[in-house]
Amino acid sequence: MNKFFSVADVDNLDNIVKEALELKANPFAHETLGKHKTLGLVFLNPSLRTRLSTQKAATNLGLSVMVMNMDKDGWALETRDGIVMNGTTVEHIREAAAVMGEYCDILGLRSFPSLTDREADYNEDLFNKFIKYCGVPVVSLESATRHPLQSLTDLITITEHKKTTKPKVVLAWAPHVKALPQAVPNSFAEWMSQAQKEGLIDFTIAHPAGYELAEEFTSGAHITHDWNAALTSADFVYVKNWSSYKEYGQVYPVSENWMMDNEKLKLTNDAKVMHCLPVRRDLELSSEILDGPNSLVIKEASNRVWAAQIVLKRILEHLSK
Ligand code: CP
């Protein structure tokens, strides 16, 4: 593996999940693989889980880690080409990425979308420039359109907790007070659609009208506005808010209450409930679910380590060829 940006960078989902679970059982089996190599983690936006789990995974592999909070500690970054930098930006991504590539063997980057320019966000302009100019393998720590470490984690967690060979997995939209990116639901849909193609799950997406995701991520999924029908017999419910793709970044009023709670849980097959976190309690997801036996959110967050570790292991193996 020479980069990790989407499900297309993984050849077989079953295999990568099995290998991640082997690392979970034996975290230090490859503790010298990353010796004398450096991972740089570059954040243009906040993070708790991605930052800490990726550092822990890297340490388990013997990597040195440097973290750069570009949004707080870096020079104001210019990403546009062909402009005179006589405004507020101080350093161009061409130099910044190239310099970071000199210091690091692998780089991770987190960059959220603007939610104002759909074309630039969905072309992944910033991420692609970073890859182009840094010259080393890049791991997405969440980009404008995808969060692949989260989605791999989610598949690992579903595999660990499934009670049937082909569980019904539902991605369910939830309310929020802010306009949130589509990256997590896009990515979850992309990975679960692939898992469905590989015969691992049945996949449904439920959301109110107006919240359709881009079709490139939802191929093969059953998509419905009927939340109750979607929840019926569900084995896993993945709760997440997102803003509109069509009316890009907009938030529509929704009359029905889409917050997942114990009443809705009764419709399911005693479903396990997932969320990538951070979660707004009693807005997106009820406290009774989060504090109850059906919640997987902490186990899911814990599994972030093994998703990051298998990805870093594969990239290190590629570098040592
Ligand atoms: N789920 C997730 O990526 O969490 P952070 O934003 O805290 O990293």
Side-chain angles (χ1 to χ4, degrees):
M1 184 184 279
N2 63 0
K3 69 174 170 52
F4 187 66
F5 178 73
S6 78
V7 74
D9 296 311
V10 176
D11 50 9
N12 182 302
L13 293 185
D14 211 19
N15 285 350
I16 198 168
V17 168
K18 280 191 184 129
E19 285 178 42
L21 290 172
E22 282 166 20
L23 292 175
K24 183 172 183 175
N26 197 357
F28 307 113
H30 308 276
E31 63 187 351
T32 59
L33 188 64
K35 193 176 173 191
H36 298 158
K37 290 210 161 42
T38 302
L39 170 70
L41 299 177
V42 182
F43 289 89
L44 304 186
N45 304 97
S47 166
L48 187 161
R49 280 142 291 273
T50 307
R51 178 189 308 260
L52 297 183
S53 63
T54 310
Q55 284 190 61
K56 186 171 169 67
T59 306
N60 289 349
L61 293 167
L63 277 158
S64 299
V65 186
M66 298 194 293
V67 180
M68 181 75 204
N69 301 312
M70 282 294 282
D71 53 338
K72 297 182 186 71
D73 303 329
W75 299 110
L77 200 60
E78 181 58 66
T79 59
R80 296 167 296 174
D81 286 316
I83 65 143
V84 177
M85 286 174 56
N86 59 0
T88 53
T89 56
V90 178
E91 179 155 35
H92 202 279
I93 192 168
R94 287 176 180 248
E95 285 81 42
V99 168
M100 288 190 269
E102 291 293 317
Y103 302 149
C104 300
D105 301 279
I106 307 172
L107 280 162
L109 177 66
R110 165 164 286 198
S111 92
F112 287 169
S114 67
L115 289 184
T116 54
D117 183 343
R118 187 170 84 177
E119 195 182 340
D121 287 346
Y122 273 70
N123 283 340
E124 294 283 4
D125 283 352
L126 190 151
F127 215 93
N128 286 329
K129 281 183 179 159
F130 189 81
I131 289 174
K132 182 174 174 187
Y133 298 123
C134 77
V136 297
V138 174
V139 176
S140 168
L141 307 175
E142 184 170 346
S143 72
T145 63
R146 291 172 172 87
H147 194 353
L149 284 175
Q150 182 65 53
S151 308
L152 173 55
T153 299
D154 298 331
L155 188 58
I156 293 167
T157 309
I158 288 167
T159 305
E160 273 187 312
H161 292 274
K162 69 180 182 183
K163 292 188 214 134
T164 59
T165 49
K166 204 171 173 187
K168 178 177 178 182
V169 177
V170 178
L171 168 60
W173 184 91
H176 206 281
V177 288
K178 282 175 63 183
L180 296 192
Q182 297 106 33
V184 168
N186 279 346
S187 202
F188 187 78
E190 182 175 62
W191 283 70
M192 293 304 134
S193 294
Q194 182 59 32
Q196 181 169 254
K197 274 185 208 140
E198 295 184 21
L200 303 174
I201 63 157
D202 275 323
F203 183 44
T204 296
I205 304 173
H207 58 73
Y211 286 97
E212 290 73 19
L213 294 168
E215 282 179 20
E216 65 183 290
F217 298 99
T218 60
S219 154
H222 174 61
I223 302 171
T224 179
H225 299 156
D226 186 340
W227 195 30
N228 289 349
L231 292 177
T232 302
S233 308
D235 298 296
F236 293 90
V237 181
Y238 195 92
V239 177
K240 186 73 185 86
N241 170 268
W242 62 88
S243 60
S244 173
Y245 169 74
K246 196 167 165 220
E247 298 297 328
Y248 193 55
Q250 297 303 301
V251 175
Y252 296 108
V254 175
S255 53
E256 195 186 349
N257 180 10
W258 277 68
M259 184 184 76
M260 187 74 196
D261 59 15
N262 275 351
E263 270 310 298
K264 290 291 176 190
L265 201 57
K266 286 180 189 160
L267 296 169
T268 71
N269 184 25
D270 196 25
K272 295 296 182 192
V273 179
M274 303 173 69
H275 189 290
C276 63
L277 303 180
V279 64
R280 299 238 182 178
R281 281 176 167 252
D282 297 312
L283 177 68
E284 291 176 85
L285 192 48
S286 70
S287 291
E288 59 190 5
I289 287 190
L290 282 166
D291 299 333
N294 290 65
S295 172
L296 282 184
V297 298
I298 304 302
K299 289 180 171 138
E300 186 183 354
S302 176
N303 278 339
R304 289 293 305 270
V305 176
W306 317 114
Q309 194 164 328
I310 186 60
V311 166
L312 292 172
K313 175 176 176 281
R314 287 188 171 192
I315 292 176
L316 285 169
E317 286 166 347
H318 167 79
L319 288 176
S320 63
K321 272 182 193 161

